[in-house]
Each structure stands twice: as structure tokens, then as C-alpha cells.
Amino acid sequence: MSDSLKNRLDSVRRRIDEACRRAGRATDEVTLLPVSKTFPSEVLREAAGLGVRRFGESRMQEIRQKDADLADLHPQWVLIGHLQTNKAKDAARLVTEVQSLDRWSLAEALDTRLTAENRVIDVLVQVKTSPEPSKFGLDPDDLPDFLQRVSELSTLRVKGLMTMAVNSPDEEAVRACFRRLRMLRDQMVARGHTHLSRLSMGMSGDFEQAIEEGSTEVRIGSAIFGAR
Ligand SMILES: *Cc1c(COP(=O)(O)O)cnc(C)c1O
């Protein structure tokens, strides 16, 4: 069991390195965020034994439980799922980073709670790059105003953008989502948002394409931990 988790982690790291080489990029330009959502705390403990410190999780309830179970390991929780505003208090207390900041009301709620906790965290703005109605994310047209407003909140450091590509067998459609996020980032940097260096894009099924399109961080669950 522990052997197979190690093998899957090694294999994903190798595929990331190979995708970097194909794209003519340095391998240290792409970070791996293991996504442990739905897997029990013992599995995270095993991953921590293999050197994993940051864990991608989708739900505050699960983070709360796992943080209690794994308190001795001081894991870093990265929130990648839709956050209800009424859970901002827990998030402000427990997470090191939010990659799913998708609306102003959430930014305000987090700022209020982080101020109370006397904490500052990194955030990525989740942008909707696919037409699927079920996907969360900010409308790309709203990005300039949104970044302007969030830059006035002292508790949130915006470091980049995050997206989920369309769930489609059409590789070109998937790549178009990644390309769109990269272009948006470049446009925002040109407008003076020079701190937007990170692009969190790519999951188990599409991370190699994402790396070829400029991803700086891939969020990988099932290829490491198994099917959910
Ligand atoms: C679950 C999830 C992932 C990981 O998905 P896999 O296909 O298991 O790699 C990545 N990003 C987000 C936002 C997720 O919710």
C-alpha cells in the first residue's frame, strides 16, 4: 500500500518533469499540489511521510476534521473548492491559501475573518474559462475590476489565477481553456498587476497539456491517491 502511493507520486513527478522538458521549461517552474479530498487522514499521513506538506482540499468540513487528526504534522491546507461565505471564519483560521476565490462577497468575508485572526494569506482568483454552467469562477470580463478591489484588502495577497478546463475528450477545447487563463494573466500583468505570477491549472486527466500551455502549478488527486 505505502509502496503504491510512493510509486504513484514518483510517477506523477516524472510525468511533470517530462512535460516540462517537452515544453522547453525548467522542471522547477511547475509545482505539484496533491489533492487529497475524500481520502482519509491516514492516507494523508502516509503522504506526509513521503514529503508532502501542502494538501489540496475542497471542503472546510473535511479540512477541520483532518487538521484535528493530523495536528502533529502541521499540514498546509490549500482550499481549491467553492467556499460558502458562512464558512469564511473556519477558512481564515485553518487554510494557508485559497485558490478558489471567485466572488467579491467571499473576498470581503475572508478579509473580515482574517483581520480578526490577524492573518494574511495567499489567494488565487478562480476564473471561468469554460462554458459549462456547473463550473464556478469569475467571469473573465470582471477580472480587471475584481483585482483592483481585492488589491485594497490587506489580508489577501493575490498571487495568480486558477481554472478548471472544460471536461471534454476534445484536447483542443481543453487547451483553449488553459491558453485563455495564461492570456488573461499576461493581460493583467501588462495592466500593472505584476504580482500575478502563478497559474494553477491542470488535473490528473489534463496536467501535461496544462504544463505545455504555461501552468505553474498542477492540482492532482486521483493519479496520486487513486479513484474517488
Ligand atoms: C478534485 C479537484 C482536482 C483534482 O482532480 P483529479 O482529477 O482527481 O486530479 C483539481 N482541482 C480541483 C478544483 C478539484 O476540485
Side-chain angles (χ1 to χ4, degrees):
M1 163 71 184
S2 86
D3 208 36
S4 64
L5 179 62
K6 183 180 188 310
N7 288 347
R8 287 192 297 259
L9 196 55
D10 285 348
S11 155
V12 164
R13 288 195 171 122
R14 220 167 20 244
R15 285 170 63 191
I16 291 171
D17 289 354
E18 281 161 12
C20 285
R21 266 192 287 280
R22 276 200 303 280
R25 305 181 59 196
T27 53
D28 64 1
E29 282 178 48
V30 180
T31 303
L32 168 62
L33 176 66
V35 173
S36 49
K37 67 185 184 198
T38 77
F39 289 91
S41 298
E42 307 86 78
V43 174
L44 280 72
R45 185 174 289 282
E46 194 182 338
L50 298 168
V52 176
R53 290 287 168 269
R54 295 165 77 231
F55 293 94
E57 288 282 341
S58 286
R59 299 175 61 226
M60 277 318 306
Q61 198 180 329
E62 222 176 305
I63 291 177
R64 236 185 6 237
Q65 180 61 51
K66 290 175 178 175
D67 192 69
D69 293 345
L70 303 172
D72 55 310
L73 299 175
H74 306 291
Q76 297 182 6
W77 303 114
V78 177
L79 187 69
I80 59 171
H82 185 71
L83 181 63
Q84 289 171 271
T85 308
N86 65 9
K87 304 263 171 66
K89 186 177 183 178
D90 270 346
R93 195 167 57 83
L94 292 172
V95 310
T96 57
E97 181 179 324
V98 173
Q99 296 200 351
S100 46
L101 181 65
D102 59 357
R103 63 197 189 282
W104 175 248
S105 59
L106 178 59
E108 273 187 312
L110 284 170
D111 182 59
T112 301
R113 298 305 188 172
L114 285 161
T115 301
E117 296 283 336
N118 199 21
R119 291 187 68 216
V120 176
I121 63 169
D122 290 349
V123 294
L124 304 183
V125 178
Q126 182 174 356
V127 179
K128 192 167 147 58
T129 54
S130 106
E132 287 169 297
S134 64
K135 292 276 194 302
F136 292 108
L138 196 76
D139 187 312
D141 292 341
D142 296 335
L143 192 55
D145 282 350
F146 186 76
L147 289 174
Q148 194 54 49
R149 293 178 83 184
V150 175
S151 72
E152 285 156 23
L153 303 177
S154 58
T155 60
L156 301 178
R157 291 183 296 235
V158 184
K159 297 290 186 177
L161 307 178
M162 182 271 245
T163 202
M164 288 173 84
V166 64
N167 185 6
S168 161
D170 175 359
E171 190 179 310
E172 263 315 301
V174 170
R175 280 183 188 271
C177 296
F178 297 145
R179 234 171 264 152
R180 179 127 198 239
L181 195 73
R182 181 184 183 162
M183 276 168 47
L184 282 166
R185 193 270 316 263
D186 292 348
Q187 285 165 8
M188 295 304 119
V189 169
R191 281 178 182 235
H193 294 286
T194 50
H195 48 283
L196 293 182
S197 53
R198 293 172 54 191
L199 288 176
S200 172
M201 53 189 201
M203 315 192 340
S204 292
D206 57 19
F207 71 89
E208 283 143 323
Q209 290 99 307
I211 289 170
E212 288 168 17
E213 300 297 342
S215 173
T216 68
E217 178 156 351
V218 291
R219 309 177 307 270
I220 300 187
S222 48
I224 296 173
F225 295 107
R228 286 186 298 274

